Structures are given as C-alpha cells and as structure tokens.
Amino acid sequence: MPVSVIVGTQWGDEGKGKITDLLSRDMDMVVRYQGGNNAGHTVVIKDATFKLHLIPSGIFYNNVMCVIGNGVVVDLGVLIQEIETLKAKGFAVENLRISSQAHIIFPYHRLMDKAQEKKLEAGRIGTTSRGIGPCYVDKYNRRGIRVSDLYNEKIFREKLAWNVIEKLFMLNKFYNMKTELSVDEIINEYSGYAVALKKYVVDESSTLVDEAVAKNKNVLLEGAQGTMLDVDHGTYPFVTSSNPTAGGACVGSGIGPKAIGAVIGVVKAYVTRVGSGPFPTEIPGKVGEDLREKGGEYGATTGRPRRCGWFDGVVMRHASKVNGLTHLAVTKLDVLDDQEKIQVCVAYEYKGKRINDFPTDIHRLAECKPIYEEVPGWQQDTTKIKEYADLPQKAKEYLEKLAGLANAKISLVSVGAERGQIIRI
Ligand code: IMP
C-alpha cells in the first residue's frame, strides 16, 4: 500500500496534523495537495507545540521528503516564517520541496477576501481572510501567478501589472476600499522571497512523486480542511475554494488514482465547525461550551472559537462515500470521557421523512433535524490507555458505532494531544 491519502471527514480541524505526524514516521514522502495557510495543523512533541500552516507535517523527520504540491496556494511570506520558526527550533528543513506549479497568494488576494466578506454582510462565509478564495479564482480564471513565474522577470512583471490594475479597480470602484498597491513594491518584496526559496523549488513536482511511486516508496498525500468544506461535496457556498476530498489528492499532487491503496479518514469523536453555515448537530449552551473548553476548540489559524456538536453519522456516510474511505483515525475520544450520555446522529428528518443521505443543498440541509440515538458515556479517563482492549467497554461500543456508520475500519484512536497518546488497532 505505498500511496495513502489522509483526509478530514468533517469541517476540518479533525486532528489531521497529529495523525499525519504519526504516519510520517513510516513514510518516504509526504505531499500536501490543496489549500493554503487557511489550514493549521497542530503537532505536539513533548513540551513543544507546532502549528504548521503550509509545510507538510512530515517535516519533523529528516528522512521524509515533504512536498508542497501543485494544488496548494502559497503565501510566500508565511512559508518563509514557518521555515525560520522550524529552523530556530532545531529542524533543518532540508527535505522541503515546493512545486513550481503552485499558485502564489498576493496582498490583493487578502484584500479581496476581506472586501468580499464585508460586502456579503449577512451571507458571509466566515473565511480565514488569508486570500485563499481569490487566489484560486485567479488560478481557474488563468490569471494566476505560479512559483515558476517568480523566476522570469518579464513574465512576472506583466502578469502582476495586469492583476494589480484589475484588483485595484475592483477594490476601489466596487468595494469602495480606497486602496493603493504598487507593482514595484510587490516585485521587490516577492523577488526577495524568490531568492530565499529557490533551493526548495522543483519543476515538475509530479515527476518527483511519480519517481517515488515507481520505486515503491511510501507516499502520504496530506489533505487540509475537510470533506464538508470541499467546494464540490461540502456545504456550498460555506466551503473553502479547493477539493480536500480524496479525488483532489490526485489532481493536487499529480498522480493517477490507481496508485492509491488507502484512504484514511480522520474523524473527531464529536464535530466542530468554524465560520458560518448550517451545522445540524450543533450543541447550544453549556454542553457545547464545555466540549469547546475541554477540547481546546479554538482555530489554530485564526483563534476563533469553534462551534461544537454531536457526532453526525449522516456527514460520516457522506464522507465515506465521496472519499472512498478504507480506514478511520478517530481523534479526541478523551474529550468525551466525562459525558454521562452521548448523542449520535444516525439520520436526518426532512419534511417529516427520515433521510440517510447528506443533502448538499444548504437550503434543504437547513430544514433537516438530526435523529439521535443516545448512548451511555464511559466516564473514565482514557488518556493513558495504549491498547484497544483496555478501553472501557462503552467507549469501544461508541467507536464500533462510528465505524458502522462509516462502513470503514478504525485503525487509530487518539486519546490526547501528545505523540504517544495513540491506540493502534
Ligand atoms: P477560506 O478557506 O479561508 O476561504 O474559508 C472558507 C471556510 O473554510 C470558512 O468557513 C473557514 O472557517 C473554513 N476553513 C478554512 N480552512 C479551515 C481549516 O483548516 N479548518 C477549519 N475550517 C477551515
């Protein structure tokens, strides 16, 4: 099973960083395939907490090649800062590669992101304001500037000048922002980034991945965000602008689907969401707030409090279907340790009828009510447990219920933030 994909099965923040860090130990290569610094992957190593936004979580192992794939949108300033932070903590970062086909986030993308959100008012997406959507818009509109363009002065200036004129028009005339942007200043700033990053840039990153696959190396394709934030399969328009689902892994890393042997879905034992949009199993009041505090549910990128809810089996089935999940990694089981009773959503009620399939039309979704099955909590500390057999019986029953809803096998259960707090099955 040389190529595996790791995907979030909910609205992101499922704990993919920790699982990727764990799996990376046995990998030769980890490829990040979509998104940008809207993601925040938290990895806890002993007393140190690392929040990675762009660099694949495999970077903590010197023998693992970490590739920022063609499908990623890169904020070069953030990337350089991330490299510097890792170096300051003793990691060499020699094994990083950046695809020359990855698109670059510019200041006007961030400005457009904020301007759009302001204009939308009541219908705001609640983006991370990192310029992700506007950068992907330029990519698909064939106006984008890729990493390779940085190294061709004439092309870079031409493309940038067009973009700056277009965005200034939009920002000033349509969004009334009174903004100034200087092509020369941007060129100066980004030329500095180009020099600093040159040693990491690879042409044809897909060839690099293909060579690893041909040599039967272990390759992990690392997704950011989650299935419900997928621009096609999520709660559109309250989604991100890329495809975190498993299909996006092929496109964003440049390999064909037949190479993929496993699709690992990371599943939080309950559900969270940041930003706006429907969330059927959201828990109002104290129970939801307690989960947020116990689980430390605040955005790794923006610090925003996450909305908390009960496990949603309809979302799980949807994620299983659109990703073709083969394995599950359940995270944050320990956060439920104190619960006396736990609700599991097994279906929705829509206009008086029971439905099992997730409605991706948010207007239908807004009218859905969760149908819960109540299960007893285990009310025991699980944070020191290392073997599945030692888990409380009721915790095992809960996990089996989740696996049944996903129709996939659980292979990992995380019971705390630290590297060692993991149960392999
Ligand atoms: P954007 O990706 O910044 O455009 O934001 C679009 C939506 O995706 C917003 O609801 C964000 O809160 C959400 N989002 C983006 N990245 C993440 C993530 O890594 N975790 C959780 N939510 C995210």
Side-chain angles (χ1 to χ4, degrees):
M1 194 162 56
V3 182
S4 312
V5 184
I6 187 158
V7 292
T9 59
Q10 297 157 344
W11 278 276
D13 309 317
E14 298 91 352
K16 291 180 293 297
K18 176 175 175 179
I19 304 299
T20 306
D21 171 61
L22 178 85
L23 298 176
S24 295
R25 238 181 270 176
D26 304 320
M27 294 293 149
D28 299 295
M29 181 182 273
V30 180
V31 188
R32 170 83 186 271
Y33 61 81
Q34 48 71 232
N37 59 316
N38 47 351
H41 291 172
T42 308
V43 180
V44 182
I45 304 173
K46 295 209 174 84
D47 298 335
T49 299
F50 298 89
K51 288 192 197 297
L52 297 175
H53 300 285
L54 280 162
I55 299 182
S57 311
I59 201 71
F60 301 109
Y61 303 93
N62 288 332
N63 56 332
V64 180
M65 185 173 286
C66 291
V67 184
I68 296 181
N70 56 278
V72 177
V73 288
V74 189
D75 188 317
L76 302 178
V78 172
L79 177 58
I80 289 173
Q81 218 171 20
E82 212 163 277
I83 294 171
E84 292 308 321
T85 307
L86 285 167
K87 281 187 176 169
K89 298 229 167 112
F91 296 95
V93 199
E94 287 298 325
N95 47 343
L96 176 68
R97 302 289 180 274
I98 306 162
S99 170
S100 64
Q101 293 153 277
H103 280 248
I104 302 173
I105 296 179
F106 284 92
Y108 49 79
H109 290 130
R110 291 189 291 267
L111 290 169
M112 289 286 286
D113 198 350
K114 286 186 191 131
Q116 280 170 204
E117 284 284 274
K118 204 163 161 221
K119 184 109 181 160
L120 283 167
E121 283 177 10
R124 290 173 58 181
I125 309 294
T127 71
T128 58
S129 311
R130 301 299 192 261
I132 307 296
C135 186
Y136 276 114
V137 166
D138 280 351
K139 169 175 174 170
Y140 289 103
N141 199 22
R142 294 148 298 174
R143 300 267 176 274
I145 301 178
R146 308 205 286 188
V147 170
S148 58
D149 296 326
L150 286 176
Y151 302 98
N152 184 329
E153 219 181 304
K154 183 168 171 286
I155 299 275
F156 182 34
R157 182 172 281 279
E158 271 172 23
K159 285 191 169 188
L160 187 67
W162 170 303
N163 274 293
V164 166
I165 292 168
E166 183 193 30
K167 268 61 170 199
L168 274 178
F169 180 83
M170 286 296 288
L171 290 165
N172 290 329
K173 301 275 187 244
F174 186 68
Y175 292 114
N176 286 325
M177 273 187 81
K178 294 194 179 62
T179 308
E180 285 178 26
L181 288 164
S182 150
V183 172
D184 285 329
E185 274 176 25
I186 298 177
I187 287 182
N188 260 347
E189 183 185 343
Y190 280 68
S191 300
Y193 296 154
V195 172
L197 293 171
K198 191 154 185 8
K199 68 182 232 191
Y200 303 111
V201 175
V202 282
D203 292 329
E204 279 309 318
S205 55
S206 63
T207 305
L208 199 69
V209 184
D210 184 58
E211 278 168 7
V213 174
K215 287 184 189 148
N216 230 13
K217 302 262 185 194
N218 290 324
V219 177
L220 184 66
L221 309 180
E222 178 189 10
Q225 290 86 45
T227 302
M228 305 314 290
L229 290 172
D230 186 281
V231 69
D232 286 277
H233 300 291
T235 47
Y236 189 90
F238 299 99
V239 291
T240 193
S241 301
S242 61
N243 290 110
T245 45
C250 291
V251 179
S253 60
I255 59 167
K258 75 173 190 224
I260 292 169
V263 183
I264 304 150
V266 185
V267 183
K268 189 144 54 178
Y270 50 98
V271 183
T272 59
R273 161 161 219 183
V274 265
S276 329
F279 180 6
T281 63
E282 185 166 12
I283 314 170
K286 187 162 166 15
V287 179
E289 281 160 27
D290 287 351
L291 271 187
R292 180 182 307 134
E293 291 316 313
K294 176 131 200 243
E297 297 296 355
Y298 292 88
T301 300
T302 58
R304 289 181 290 176
R306 297 174 184 150
R307 299 153 70 192
C308 295
W310 295 118
F311 187 84
D312 190 330
V314 185
V315 163
M316 185 72 254
R317 271 195 292 266
H318 179 68
S320 193
K321 178 184 72 181
V322 298
N323 291 297
L325 298 181
T326 58
H327 298 75
L328 298 183
V330 180
T331 58
K332 293 196 161 182
L333 184 73
D334 56 298
V335 176
L336 297 178
D337 281 355
D338 300 334
Q339 298 292 330
E340 197 187 331
K341 288 176 184 145
I342 301 171
Q343 311 295 327
V344 180
C345 168
V346 291
Y348 293 158
E349 189 193 309
Y350 175 70
K351 293 196 187 276
K353 284 201 183 125
R354 184 184 171 106
I355 59 168
N356 294 316
D357 293 322
F358 188 80
T360 48
D361 175 335
I362 53 156
H363 305 291
R364 273 181 72 206
L365 180 61
E367 287 183 52
C368 287
K369 290 192 188 67
I371 299 174
Y372 287 119
E373 277 180 14
E374 188 174 272
V375 297
W378 42 95
Q379 298 190 283
Q380 238 175 285
D381 178 17
T382 58
T383 57
K384 291 173 195 72
I385 295 177
K386 303 269 181 245
E387 300 292 333
Y388 184 77
D390 297 336
L391 277 172
Q393 183 56 27
K394 290 192 176 94
K396 284 189 219 161
E397 285 166 16
Y398 183 69
L399 289 170
E400 277 156 25
K401 195 163 189 66
L402 308 198
L405 287 162
N407 194 22
K409 176 185 173 310
I410 297 180
S411 53
L412 292 168
V413 179
S414 169
V415 288
E418 241 291 326
R419 258 183 177 172
Q421 290 177 297
I422 196 96
I423 301 167
R424 291 169 186 267
I425 306 174

